[in-house]
Amino acid sequence: MKIKHVFLLALCLMALSLPTASFAAEKVYPIDEWFKNALAEKTSTADMCEVTAAGTKKWDAELNKQYKILMGRLGKKGQESLRQSQKAWVKFREAEAKASANIFYTANKGGAISRIESADRMYNFVRSRALELKNYNDVFKALK
């Protein structure tokens, strides 16, 4: 009887740990829509990498916009904390770019797809940080 309860509890915990994206559709952002449409028109590796780099640049601009808004909402202590966090994130982004490029290059034995995978990794990495900062800003909006 106890084993049955433990098993059911484990099943419930596993269900709760599933990513929420599988239960709800993720919001589509204008940059993602632009990216999807621009990428649909491309067929060469070089063109796909170019579009992905342009999309990453757009997300980076959004990241900087959200960062500036958030800095304006924080006091000195919060600003310093965010500044340190952002500096650490930039260092991590640079290290991750090198690591992912090497990993994809090795995994694909130097094939052209490795360039696309590496560029896509950076697109999603910068996108994720921009949305994290946006979520922080949304907390302030919700509390007004």
Side-chain angles (χ1 to χ4, degrees):
M1 187 74 165
K2 280 187 176 183
I3 293 174
K4 185 178 179 182
H5 289 285
V6 171
F7 178 74
L8 288 173
L9 178 62
L11 248 146
C12 290
L13 290 173
M14 287 189 321
L16 290 172
S17 69
L18 292 173
T20 56
S22 63
F23 297 110
E26 187 174 339
K27 181 179 177 187
V28 177
Y29 294 92
I31 298 170
D32 291 331
E33 196 64 34
W34 171 88
F35 178 67
K36 183 178 106 180
N37 293 333
L39 201 57
E41 302 169 4
K42 306 302 179 188
T43 56
S44 75
T45 300
D47 287 345
M48 289 178 189
C49 288
E50 186 178 305
V51 167
T52 306
T56 302
K57 191 173 183 178
K58 288 177 182 287
W59 273 114
D60 193 52
E62 180 65 21
L63 183 155
N64 288 323
K65 174 185 154 190
Q66 295 297 327
Y67 177 84
K68 287 176 185 173
I69 292 169
L70 189 54
M71 286 294 277
R73 291 181 163 147
L74 297 172
K76 288 196 183 286
K77 189 175 180 181
Q79 288 177 345
E80 185 55 32
S81 181
L82 179 60
R83 190 176 295 112
Q84 293 304 315
S85 172
Q86 192 64 14
K87 283 180 181 180
W89 181 85
V90 168
K91 284 183 180 181
F92 181 61
R93 179 190 64 191
E94 292 168 359
E96 183 64 18
K98 288 179 185 177
S100 66
N102 286 324
I103 290 166
F104 290 129
Y105 184 84
T106 301
N108 293 296
K109 297 177 178 40
I113 192 72
S114 64
R115 290 180 51 219
I116 296 170
E117 289 177 326
S118 186
D120 186 62
R121 172 70 179 123
M122 284 301 99
Y123 174 89
N124 286 300
F125 198 68
V126 174
R127 177 188 185 274
S128 178
R129 180 62 176 170
L131 292 177
E132 284 175 356
L133 295 176
K134 181 188 179 311
N135 287 338
Y136 289 141
N137 279 314
D138 288 347
V139 169
F140 280 92
K141 288 178 189 175
L143 296 175
K144 282 187 174 183

